[in-house]
Amino acid sequence: MSMKNWSKTSYRNKTALQQPGWPDREQYEKVVRSLSALPPLVFAGEIRDLKARLAQVAAGRAFLLQGGDCSEEFARCTAPNIRETLKVLLQMAVILTYAGNKPVVKVGRIAGQYAKPRSSDTETVNGENIPSYRGDMANSIEATPEARVPNPERLLMGYHMSAATLNLLRAFTRGGFGSLHRVQAWNQKFVKQSPMGRNYERMAKRIGDAIKFMETIGIPTDTPQMREVQFFTSHEALFLGYEEALTREDSTEAGGWYDCSAHMLWIGDRTRQLDGAHVEFLSGVRNPLGIKVGPDHDPDTMLALIERLNPENEPGRITLITRFGAGVVEKHLPPLLRAVKRAGCHVIWTCDPMHANTFSAESGRKTRSFDDILSELQCFFELNWAEGTIPGGVHFELTGDNVTECIGGGRQLSAEQLNLRYLTTCDPRLNAEQSLEMAFQIAEMIRS
Ligand code: PEP
Ligand code: MN
C-alpha cells in the first residue's frame, strides 16, 4: 500500500502474525479506544532528535548502544530494577565513548518491552500443554491454562508501567543521576571487586581527573552536557492494537504520524513479511525503525524491505540489527553488506549477538555463552571493516542485576550455576559484570 493510503489502521487489512488471540474482541476494541485517549508516552520532537543522532551513527560519527531485558515484567517495574539497568547502560556507554572517541547514542529496551513473539503457540509444562507466554502485555508467565488466556486489560497495564518507568528514567537522566561527575558512583558493589570493576574504576578515575583539571583552569563543568544524559526508549512493535492506539499526528507545524509508545521501534525476525501487517503499520510512522535480520534474509527481500520502509532513503530511519549466530555470520553478513552498499541505502549496521546464539543447557535452561556472543561481535566488526561499511552499533539483552543466565565471562559461570539466580521469563541476559566485560572487549576493537 502506498503512503497515500496509509492510516494508523490500514494494517488491519493485512495478516498480522504473533498477535495474542484476544478472546473477547469487544473488550479488546474498548481497550484500544481507551489507550487512544491517553497521553502519548514520548513526543515527536524527541523522536526527531533520536533520528538526527542516528543519522550521525549512519555516517560513522556516533555509535549506537541498544540494550535491556528480553522481556520486561510488570512485577519488576521497580525503582532499583530501572536504576540498575540504566546504570549498566550508562557504564557501557561511557566505556565505549572513552575508547571510540565518538558520542554514544543510548537506547534502552525498556519502558514498553512487554510483548514477545514465540516460536510455538503452546508449550508443555509438567506434562500439560498450555498456551505460550507472550509477554506481560498479553498474558501471565504463571504456568496454568487460565493464566495464559490473553487479557486486553494488560495492554492498559503495560501503558501505565511504561509511563512509570519512563518517568523515573527522565528523572534520573535529567536530575543529575546520569551526570558525568558520577561516573564512579555507577559502579555496583558486587562488580567493584571484580577485575572488570577495577578496570572500570581506573577509567572512571581518569575521567574524574580530567573533570577536576577542567574545573581547576576555570572551564565550567556544571553544564547540561555534563549533567544530563540523552536516553531513548525502544521495544519490538508487536501488538499492533497497542501501537495503533499510541500513534498520534504531530501537533507542531512539522506534522506527520509518530508512534509515541517509544522513540524507536523494531520489527522482529518473525514479523517482517513485506505484505504483512507489521511492515504496513511501521511504513507510515516516522520513528526510527530497527529491522531484525536473521539467517534467512536474502539480499533482495532485504532491499525490498528497506525500500518499503524508507523510500526517501533518509539516514537514521533504518537500523539493521543482524543476528546470525557465531558460526555462520561470515556466511550471511557479507552478501547483505555488499547488496545494501551497492544499492546506496543509508542504514546503520548493528549486531545483536544474542538471539542466534541461544541453546539449552542440560538442565533445560535456555542460555548463551559469553564466548559465542563475543565471537559473533568480533566477526561483525571485522566483516564490516573488510567491506568498507560501518559497524555502527550493538544490541544486547542485559540487566543490571546479578543474574546467572549466560555462561562464561570473567567469572566463568558454568552451566551448573545457571540455577543460582535465573530470573528471566524469556531469553537469558548478560548480568552487570558480563555486560561491562563485553563493553571493554568492544572498546578494544574500536579503540582509535
Ligand atoms: C528479541 O529481540 O527479543 C527477539 C525476539 O528477537 P528476534 O526477533 O531477533 O528473534
Ligand atoms: Mn529475546
Side-chain angles (χ1 to χ4, degrees), residues 164-186:
T165 303
L166 196 52
N167 183 55
L168 192 61
L169 287 171
R170 290 187 193 281
F172 280 147
T173 54
R174 302 291 146 80
F177 182 88
S179 164
L180 279 174
H181 291 95
R182 299 190 73 258
V183 169
Q184 271 166 301
W186 300 335

Side-chain angles (χ1 to χ4, degrees), residues 352-401:
D352 161 1
M354 311 299 289
H355 281 90
N357 290 311
T358 317
F359 64 94
S360 289
E362 244 166 72
S363 59
R365 292 281 195 207
K366 264 208 278 185
T367 189
R368 291 158 173 162
S369 115
F370 189 93
D371 291 344
D372 291 343
I373 296 169
L374 184 58
S375 156
E376 179 163 357
L377 270 178
Q378 275 164 339
C379 289
F380 167 81
F381 278 92
E382 278 159 22
L383 293 166
N384 269 282
W385 289 325
E387 295 296 332
T389 46
I390 297 166
V394 287
H395 183 119
F396 290 107
E397 287 185 341
L398 54 77
T399 171
D401 211 342

Side-chain angles (χ1 to χ4, degrees), residues 75-102:
R76 296 189 159 264
C77 176
T78 64
N81 222 13
I82 297 163
R83 186 187 61 224
E84 297 310 306
T85 299
L86 176 65
K87 255 162 57 177
V88 77
L89 286 168
L90 293 179
Q91 285 186 286
M92 293 174 82
V94 84
I95 294 167
L96 296 174
T97 311
Y98 200 75
N101 281 319
K102 281 178 193 170

Side-chain angles (χ1 to χ4, degrees), residues 233-237 243 259-267 281-282 285 287-291:
T233 60
S234 67
H235 60 255
E236 178 171 350
E243 304 302 339
D259 183 345
C260 298
S261 68
H263 300 106
M264 177 178 179
L265 285 318
W266 77 84
I267 309 188
F281 174 74
L282 289 170
V285 297
N287 304 59
L289 301 178
I291 307 174

Side-chain angles (χ1 to χ4, degrees), residues 138-426:
N139 56 9
S140 161
I141 184 72
E142 197 195 326
T144 65
E146 305 75 53
R148 293 291 170 88
V149 176
N151 176 359
E153 294 297 326
R154 285 178 164 271
L155 294 172
L156 270 170
M157 275 184 45
Y159 167 87
H160 291 295
M161 299 282 176
S162 300
T165 303
L166 196 52
N167 183 55
L168 192 61
L169 287 171
R170 290 187 193 281
F172 280 147
T173 54
R174 302 291 146 80
F177 182 88
S179 164
L180 279 174
H181 291 95
R182 299 190 73 258
V183 169
Q184 271 166 301
W186 300 335
N187 214 6
Q188 295 207 50
K189 272 202 234 54
F190 75 90
V191 178
K192 247 185 200 149
Q193 300 314 321
S194 70
M196 279 315 122
R198 288 196 292 273
N199 264 351
Y200 183 81
E201 291 282 301
R202 275 194 292 278
M203 183 202 64
K205 181 162 185 315
R206 286 199 292 271
I207 294 174
D209 289 346
I211 296 174
K212 251 187 259 148
F213 178 74
M214 283 162 67
E215 283 165 352
T216 307
I217 61 174
I219 298 173
T221 66
D222 194 25
T223 59
Q225 290 90 328
M226 296 288 286
R227 228 182 21 239
E228 293 179 11
V229 185
Q230 302 304 320
F231 186 86
F232 300 94
T233 60
S234 67
H235 60 255
E236 178 171 350
L238 188 66
F239 296 168
L240 291 172
Y242 180 78
E243 304 302 339
E244 170 200 323
L246 284 161
T247 294
R248 312 292 165 88
E249 192 167 21
D250 182 13
S251 57
T252 71
E253 59 290 350
W257 290 89
Y258 289 84
D259 183 345
C260 298
S261 68
H263 300 106
M264 177 178 179
L265 285 318
W266 77 84
I267 309 188
D269 200 43
R270 295 169 185 77
T271 50
R272 56 177 163 77
Q273 299 71 24
L274 254 186
D275 57 354
H278 292 83
V279 170
E280 168 64 19
F281 174 74
L282 289 170
S283 71
V285 297
R286 298 205 184 170
N287 304 59
L289 301 178
I291 307 174
K292 289 291 197 102
V293 185
D296 55 354
H297 258 77
D298 66 87
D300 289 342
T301 23
M302 180 83 255
L303 289 176
L305 194 52
I306 296 172
E307 163 67 25
R308 176 79 207 286
L309 293 170
N310 192 20
E312 320 227 302
N313 203 13
E314 186 190 2
R317 162 78 164 170
I318 302 285
T319 298
L320 300 174
I321 309 170
T322 63
R323 25 103 65 230
F324 295 119
V328 295
V329 52
E330 288 97 334
K331 178 168 147 230
H332 294 289
L333 186 57
L336 291 179
L337 293 174
R338 279 175 221 143
V340 171
K341 187 176 176 185
R342 202 174 317 118
C345 302
H346 298 300
V347 301
I348 298 168
W349 289 101
T350 69
C351 177
D352 161 1
M354 311 299 289
H355 281 90
N357 290 311
T358 317
F359 64 94
S360 289
E362 244 166 72
S363 59
R365 292 281 195 207
K366 264 208 278 185
T367 189
R368 291 158 173 162
S369 115
F370 189 93
D371 291 344
D372 291 343
I373 296 169
L374 184 58
S375 156
E376 179 163 357
L377 270 178
Q378 275 164 339
C379 289
F380 167 81
F381 278 92
E382 278 159 22
L383 293 166
N384 269 282
W385 289 325
E387 295 296 332
T389 46
I390 297 166
V394 287
H395 183 119
F396 290 107
E397 287 185 341
L398 54 77
T399 171
D401 211 342
N402 189 10
V403 299
T404 56
E405 298 171 3
C406 291
I407 62 173
R411 292 206 189 196
Q412 309 243 313
L413 194 84
S414 69
E416 290 69 44
Q417 290 170 306
L418 288 176
N419 273 331
L420 292 176
R421 269 180 72 74
Y422 193 97
L423 300 181
T424 182
T425 51
C426 203

